[in-house]
Amino acid sequence: MSATPAGGHVPGPRLRPDWAWQLRQGSALVYVLWFLVAVPLVVVGLLVEPRWVGWLVLAWFLVLVALTAGFRIAEGRQRRAWSDAVRQLGWQFSAGDPDLVDRWPFPPFDVDPAAEVYDVTTGRHRGRELLTGRFRHKVRHRQLGFDFLDLEVDRPLPPLQLLPTSLAPVAAASLVPLKLTVTGLSEKYCLFNGREDLALEVLNRRAVDVLAKVPPFGFSCEGRRFVAILPAYRDSGTALAHLDAACDLLDLMPERVWQAGEQWAATHHS
């Protein structure tokens, strides 16, 4: 099975990653939205025809139930499709590992001590060991999360955290970004950790061409760890396209960035 879906550009998610997460998780946001619509319905019902109030509220409640059920069905289909892909590619799937968070002692993985990693897949792709799954943590009193993709690197990388603006609320809400000026991307990218000159080196012309073909994603790296940060609840085709794009990003990493990583590693491990 090829990890590259047919076609060129892969369509992105319809909702912002933080909204999609909260809706899928059935968080308080869902019920707040329900009440925001239910209250005007009650008012309109009382003004027009009081006997309709109960039916209007019941109908809106059924909409909420249908929406929740639809999300659960869609998530089940995504899980089955991913399980099929994992099996065909010869990878392994596990529920999670509570000690896995310690693998990444840098933002955004070290911010919340109670963060969780689950739905973990391990395998090998294009000569690199991979570890991917879902990361859940608390961001400003909200439970949010994203998908991650840890790829093996042969040389150390400098500390960097680059994210598109859509992923900032789920992966860097407490940090102040430095906006980068890069042409050719569908979203603005921001630097949350590391040097601006190195970030711009990473987002070179060829890397931008790769990123432009898939839904926006970012990454965080430090030393021998490179972790792509991705929106949650992707279909298997998008996940595999992201995997190829992340591998391409590493293949296109400029030598100057690797050298900066080696200098950083020598300084911090001496």
Side-chain angles (χ1 to χ4, degrees):
M1 178 178 178
S2 172
T4 304
H9 181 79
V10 179
R14 298 176 182 177
L15 291 175
R16 273 178 35 175
D18 55 333
W19 292 356
W21 177 274
Q22 291 193 294
L23 287 172
R24 296 282 192 132
Q25 293 285 318
S27 67
L29 175 65
V30 177
Y31 301 98
V32 170
L33 291 174
W34 186 85
F35 278 108
L36 286 176
V37 177
V39 171
L41 284 177
V42 171
V43 173
V44 170
L46 289 172
L47 292 175
V48 177
E49 177 55 66
R51 289 176 299 177
W52 292 358
V53 173
W55 291 109
L56 289 173
V57 174
L58 176 61
W60 181 234
F61 176 74
L62 292 176
V63 169
L64 176 64
V65 171
L67 182 67
T68 304
F71 283 147
R72 293 291 180 265
I73 292 170
E75 185 177 355
R77 288 175 178 170
Q78 287 180 348
R79 283 178 175 273
R80 287 192 296 272
W82 181 247
S83 296
D84 291 342
V86 167
R87 185 173 59 255
Q88 292 180 44
L89 291 165
W91 298 343
Q92 294 79 43
F93 181 83
S94 65
D97 183 349
D99 298 325
L100 201 54
V101 180
D102 298 333
R103 180 182 176 93
W104 311 297
F106 49 84
F109 304 100
D110 63 345
V111 177
D112 179 11
E116 299 176 81
V117 171
Y118 59 100
D119 289 352
V120 176
T121 299
T122 56
R124 192 170 183 84
H125 181 65
R126 287 171 52 175
R128 299 183 188 274
E129 295 290 337
L130 69 90
L131 188 154
T132 185
R134 190 153 292 165
F135 182 83
R136 177 168 56 206
H137 62 158
K138 184 168 285 188
V139 181
R140 292 180 178 175
H141 309 293
R142 292 191 300 167
Q143 283 286 348
L144 291 172
F146 53 85
D147 286 357
F148 67 87
L149 169 63
D150 182 315
L151 287 172
E152 178 188 15
V153 290
D154 297 326
R155 299 165 65 184
L157 286 163
L160 283 174
Q161 187 182 6
L162 265 172
L163 293 172
T165 53
S166 61
L167 280 170
V170 297
S174 60
L175 302 176
V176 179
L178 173 64
K179 294 182 179 179
L180 302 176
T181 302
V182 181
T183 58
L185 294 172
S186 60
E187 276 192 34
K188 291 287 187 182
Y189 269 67
C190 297
L191 178 66
F192 292 89
N193 185 33
R195 289 166 44 185
E196 181 182 7
D197 60 326
L198 295 179
L200 292 173
E201 289 264 3
V202 173
L203 295 177
N204 56 71
R205 181 70 262 169
R206 294 175 66 191
V208 166
D209 290 341
V210 169
L211 292 172
K213 295 177 182 178
V214 295
F217 73 95
F219 70 87
S220 189
C221 65
E222 184 177 296
R224 292 296 184 96
R225 296 284 181 252
F226 173 92
V227 190
I229 297 172
L230 310 136
Y233 301 107
R234 301 163 297 150
D235 59 58
S236 58
T238 302
L240 294 173
H242 273 141
L243 171 58
D244 270 328
C247 288
D248 289 339
L249 199 62
L250 283 173
D251 292 342
L252 295 171
M253 197 73 72
E255 177 62 24
R256 182 167 174 263
V257 177
W258 293 114
Q259 291 175 356
E262 290 170 344
Q263 292 172 2
W264 177 88
T267 302
H268 287 75
H269 296 287
S270 58

